[in-house]
Amino acid sequence: LALDPGAVLAVPPGATPSPAAAPAPAATGRRVVRSLRQLGLTGPMQLRGVSPLQGVQFGIRADEVVTEARLVISGAASPALVPELSQLTVTLNDQLLGVVQPDPRRPAFGPLEFPISPAFFTEMNRLNFAFSGRYPAECIDPLSDLLWMTVAETSSVQMVLERLPLPPDLARLPEPFFDPRELRQTLVLPFILPEAPGNELLRGAAVAASWFAVQAEYRGARFPVSASLPETGHAVVLATPQDLPAGLELPPVNGPTVAVVPNPRDPASVLLLLSGRNPAEVATAAMSLALAPQLLSGTSATVAAPRPPQRRPYEAPRWLPHDRPVSLGELVERSELQVTGYAPAPVTVPLRTAPDLTTWRGHGFPLNIGFRAPPGPILDVEVSRLDISVSGSFLRAVPLRERETWPWSWVVRQFGIEQLPRETSAVVPPWLVSGRNELQLRFDMRPMHRGDCVSVPVDVQAAIDPGSTIDISRAHRFAMLPNLAFFASAGFPYTRMADLSETAVVLPDRPGAVEVSAFLGLVGGLSAMVGVPATGLTVVRPAQVQQAGDRDLIVIGTLGRQPALSALLREAPLSIDEAGRLSMTLPQRLDGFARLVWDGPPPEERVRAAAALAAPAEGLGFIAAAQSPLRPGRSVVAVAAPTPAALEAVAEALRDPARIPRFQGDLVLLTGSGLEAFRTAPSYAVGSLPFWMWPNHYLGAQPWALLLMMLGASLLIGLPALAYLRRRAVRRLRGRAS
């Protein structure tokens, strides 16, 4: 990369810019390159006259320190800017890095390189870009399209990080295995398990993995599984003294033990050891880690079996309360409800809940919002507005203040009513609340025209009242399954109990590393949705399925190693032969007529699925859902593939937020061309509805039944009326004849 001669670069005193192509000095630390896209940008950073200050935030791990860093940026500037009076100022934690001045002859600039002093870095860092611009005119309009600069999302922060030796201490958990300062990085934490782990050892691994996934939250988590210690890096080890991995030695264990020990293969890394005299004690150590980590300290602790809290349905901490209105101040910090600037980023509030919400005739959920914004002398309140959306779906726009007429305008000025929060309301349709949703409140403000050559305030502020509420308490809990959209977006129906106490996972008798890794990742993903570790989970093998008949089941495995697949999916038209080949039962001739009376899968969907399964495809993985054959109303979801590589690809698809909307129906096939969804299995109901809502539910999905009922009602009313009118006509004619 070379310095673009079309841009003028200024740097702090004592620092000199160097071409981006200059070789970096040799360093022994870890070299990291983070683009602005990786730090949170979704596209080029747009700096305008009304939004002159923007930035990104990133953290540095507690066990690392920056020894060398530089910033490489590219972008463009408006050709109308006056170079002597316009600039882009770059700062890190309010420390000046440099200034870019535009050149009208070359609007694009960069890549430009700024050296960064390591002393500027802290645990949490803010990289800001401040734009100041003027164009050749006597008076400047901050809304003018001539005032702009952009910073490319490919611009990057390049750092050399050295490891800091920190003393091992359980009180630091979840560090160093997970560091919350890594705001955008997916957690990748290896798990070390014996070759043939038993049910209790697998359950303990799932509890520990789910606890780490809850800490990682939105970042996501992956848990590679191995039987040997990693060459470098941290890891979690679950083992008894009899099956410790090679190279790891421990003193005698006297009970469930949680310990932090050095990694024999990498002195700079540590291992989190969950151990005990038998697998049950290992699971107890994992439960203690998940339920009472604040009680752990030192390098080793012998723990007792904790008592898990009693959970109620739909009680997940990260879900909206279902029995009362909830204020937005309970869902996010109050500082996140305040914005600065005329066109700030939207205020985002998570709206997470189970997707089985049902209301009468699709009535939505009331949303009451209070907000504050600068008064009329600063903003043109008649054109400035607040836009309300849910997950990108626009609901309504609210003007910051309606036009006021005399004498009300005089009363407002005299008594300061303008300072009171403005209130508005909206209705969130139930189909927009599907699990992972966000309420987006965007202020779009315009400055008041105060005359020619009169300055306009820049640091205007607006805020959403923390007392604003949303209420889902009047909804009923009822859903028709199978529906993989519910599973992929909210883990439903398994997350109905936040600790997964009504869930059992069926694993092969001798699961491979990829199968166990997919199991840990899936359970961790479910726990991250609700914010509670999977302390109530049960692990069974194919021969033990009957013991978990009263639970919702998740079946994981490759086709040749998981005999429970064909038995548990017998309620679905998908079949698996002894050779591990998939096929689809074709619909019968009368299936199409049955749909006129009762909702069911379209026959053409089965035909389409059968054609997709018959076509040769490399690495055909699938996710299928059906009603459990062991108990009505319970669910089965199967995650399977013919090879471990294909199974890993299916698990990765479930972790990818961009592909979550592709999961629909009851069967999703993953091939080299992507995901394809089908609806093939018969439906079943979970939850309950009051009797007066059943006609609304049944007739809403059966327009033919509604038409037949209307026709029947017409006949019931019309035929007696016709007979009555005929008799009356006969009597009238007889009277005339006489």
Side-chain angles (χ1 to χ4, degrees):
L1 302 176
L3 182 64
D4 191 330
V8 178
L9 172 65
V11 296
T16 57
S18 58
T28 60
R30 182 170 69 101
R31 186 172 297 276
V32 175
V33 178
R34 295 283 184 261
S35 69
L36 297 190
R37 178 180 290 275
Q38 293 173 314
L39 296 181
L41 289 188
T42 58
M45 182 182 293
Q46 304 281 346
L47 297 142
R48 307 188 66 87
V50 294
S51 55
L53 178 64
Q54 297 185 43
V56 293
Q57 193 172 16
F58 63 96
I60 304 297
R61 289 179 58 92
D63 57 355
E64 292 182 328
V65 63
V66 178
T67 59
E68 177 190 342
R70 57 181 175 175
L71 172 68
V72 180
I73 65 171
S74 301
S78 170
L81 294 177
V82 178
E84 296 79 9
L85 302 176
S86 305
Q87 63 184 18
L88 176 68
T89 305
V90 187
T91 61
L92 177 67
N93 299 328
D94 297 327
Q95 301 294 325
L96 179 64
L97 300 185
V99 176
V100 178
Q101 292 180 314
D103 185 347
R105 297 171 299 174
R106 294 178 177 267
F109 62 84
L112 305 177
E113 180 180 316
F114 296 86
I116 307 176
S117 170
F120 291 173
F121 288 90
T122 62
E123 289 186 349
M124 296 304 301
N125 305 277
R126 182 75 183 182
L127 179 64
N128 277 341
F129 298 86
F131 167 60
S132 176
R134 291 187 64 88
Y135 53 85
E138 183 179 356
C139 301
I140 302 300
D141 180 9
L143 297 177
S144 173
D145 291 336
L146 300 177
L147 291 176
W148 62 267
M149 288 187 77
T150 63
V151 178
E153 71 276 19
T154 55
S155 304
S156 62
V157 180
Q158 304 178 10
M159 300 173 288
V160 175
L161 302 173
E162 292 284 353
R163 183 71 63 86
L164 288 176
L166 297 178
D169 189 354
L170 291 171
R172 296 179 58 88
L173 289 174
E175 299 175 10
F177 307 95
F178 164 71
D179 197 314
R181 300 167 187 83
E182 294 185 319
L183 301 179
R184 303 284 175 178
Q185 302 301 309
T186 299
L187 171 64
V188 180
L189 181 59
F191 268 60
I192 312 303
L193 297 169
E195 288 287 351
N199 290 349
E200 284 297 307
L201 209 61
L202 288 170
R203 186 175 71 86
V207 171
S210 65
W211 182 73
F212 279 105
V214 169
Q215 312 307 313
E217 292 187 87
Y218 61 89
R219 303 168 182 84
R222 293 177 54 243
F223 304 102
V225 173
S226 174
S228 58
L229 298 178
E231 295 294 336
T232 60
H234 311 299
V236 179
V237 180
L238 290 95
T240 61
Q242 296 77 27
D243 53 18
L244 285 174
L248 185 60
E249 297 181 0
L250 292 177
V253 176
N254 299 319
T257 302
V258 182
V260 179
V261 298
N263 184 350
R265 298 186 177 182
D266 180 12
S269 302
V270 294
L271 305 173
L272 176 62
L273 178 64
L274 304 176
S275 182
R277 292 166 294 188
N278 51 60
E281 289 189 348
V282 177
T284 298
M287 291 282 287
S288 178
L289 170 70
L291 295 175
Q294 68 278 5
L295 300 181
L296 302 175
S297 61
T299 58
S300 179
T302 301
V303 298
R307 178 178 297 179
Q310 294 294 324
R311 296 288 177 182
R312 296 181 300 172
Y314 306 103
E315 200 187 31
R318 291 178 182 168
W319 282 0
L320 296 175
H322 61 93
D323 54 356
R324 62 177 176 85
V326 59
S327 65
L328 302 189
E330 298 178 54
L331 303 177
V332 295
E333 297 292 336
R334 296 198 171 199
S335 59
E336 298 180 34
L337 298 175
Q338 302 179 12
V339 296
T340 302
Y342 290 98
V347 173
T348 302
V349 181
L351 300 180
R352 298 182 181 178
T353 186
D356 60 335
L357 296 173
T358 303
T359 59
W360 171 251
R361 299 184 66 180
H363 291 176
F365 309 117
L367 176 66
N368 297 309
I369 297 177
F371 59 91
R372 290 179 170 86
I378 297 175
L379 295 182
D380 188 347
V381 293
E382 295 180 5
V383 298
S384 301
R385 68 183 192 272
L386 173 66
D387 295 333
I388 304 175
S389 305
V390 173
S391 298
S393 297
F394 177 77
L395 294 183
R396 63 171 302 190
V398 182
L400 295 190
R401 191 166 299 280
E402 303 289 350
R403 182 185 296 272
E404 297 166 349
T405 58
W406 192 90
W408 176 246
S409 59
W410 180 86
V411 174
V412 166
R413 290 193 301 270
Q414 295 299 317
F415 293 95
I417 299 178
E418 267 188 298
Q419 301 302 320
L420 297 179
R422 171 85 191 280
E423 294 186 357
T424 188
S425 62
V427 175
V428 180
W431 56 84
L432 287 182
V433 183
S434 58
R436 301 183 186 182
N437 302 102
E438 290 181 340
L439 173 65
Q440 296 149 342
L441 305 169
R442 182 188 296 272
F443 285 95
D444 187 358
M445 299 181 285
R446 296 291 184 266
M448 177 71 74
H449 180 65
R450 309 173 73 182
D452 294 337
C453 300
V454 178
S455 62
V456 175
V458 176
D459 280 342
V460 296
Q461 295 185 347
I464 302 296
D465 188 357
S468 305
T469 61
I470 183 171
D471 186 4
I472 64 171
S473 60
R474 295 188 178 182
H476 300 275
R477 295 291 183 173
F478 179 84
M480 297 300 296
L481 297 180
N483 190 338
L484 287 174
F486 288 177
F487 176 75
S489 64
F492 187 82
Y494 302 91
T495 49
R496 177 178 174 271
M497 298 296 292
D499 59 354
L500 304 188
S501 56
E502 294 183 351
T503 298
V505 178
V506 185
L507 290 174
D509 290 323
R510 292 185 63 85
V514 173
E515 292 166 322
V516 178
S517 177
F519 158 61
L520 298 181
L522 180 58
V523 173
L526 296 177
S527 297
M529 294 177 187
V530 294
V532 174
T535 55
L537 182 72
T538 296
V539 178
V540 297
R541 305 305 169 97
Q544 304 166 331
V545 167
Q546 293 293 338
Q547 302 175 12
D550 60 341
R551 292 173 175 248
D552 296 309
L553 302 176
I554 300 176
V555 190
I556 300 175
T558 52
L559 295 181
R561 298 164 54 88
Q562 184 52 279
L565 283 171
S566 56
L568 294 176
L569 291 178
R570 63 175 180 262
E571 296 292 327
L574 182 69
S575 59
I576 306 169
D577 61 18
E578 295 181 356
R581 290 187 296 264
L582 302 174
S583 61
M584 178 64 60
T585 304
L586 293 176
Q588 300 179 359
R589 294 180 179 273
L590 298 180
D591 286 351
F593 295 99
R595 294 189 69 240
L596 299 177
V597 180
W598 188 258
D599 184 33
E604 57 271 17
E605 282 287 284
R606 285 198 195 180
V607 176
R608 191 167 65 90
L613 292 173
E618 187 70 24
L620 180 65
F622 72 91
I623 301 178
Q627 183 173 209
S628 172
L630 306 179
R631 182 173 177 180
R634 290 296 184 180
S635 302
V636 173
V637 168
V639 182
T643 63
L647 179 63
E648 188 175 14
V650 174
E652 184 63 32
L654 277 172
R655 289 191 292 264
D656 187 356
R659 290 193 279 183
I660 291 299
R662 301 293 303 275
F663 287 85
Q664 302 289 332
D666 56 78
L667 176 64
V668 173
L669 300 180
L670 175 64
T671 63
S673 57
L675 295 172
E676 192 171 5
F678 307 89
R679 184 187 175 201
T680 62
S683 300
Y684 60 98
V686 295
S688 61
L689 282 179
F691 71 92
W692 48 270
M693 285 191 65
W694 272 103
N696 175 72
H697 164 71
Y698 180 74
L699 298 178
Q702 297 292 334
W704 288 105
L706 181 60
L707 181 61
L708 291 175
M709 290 184 63
M710 293 177 61
L711 180 60
S714 300
L715 292 176
L716 288 176
I717 296 174
L719 290 178
L722 178 61
Y724 169 75
L725 292 176
R726 282 182 175 178
R727 289 195 299 269
R728 184 173 180 180
V730 169
R731 288 197 301 268
R732 185 174 67 253
L733 293 175
R734 287 177 179 175
R736 290 181 180 178
S738 61

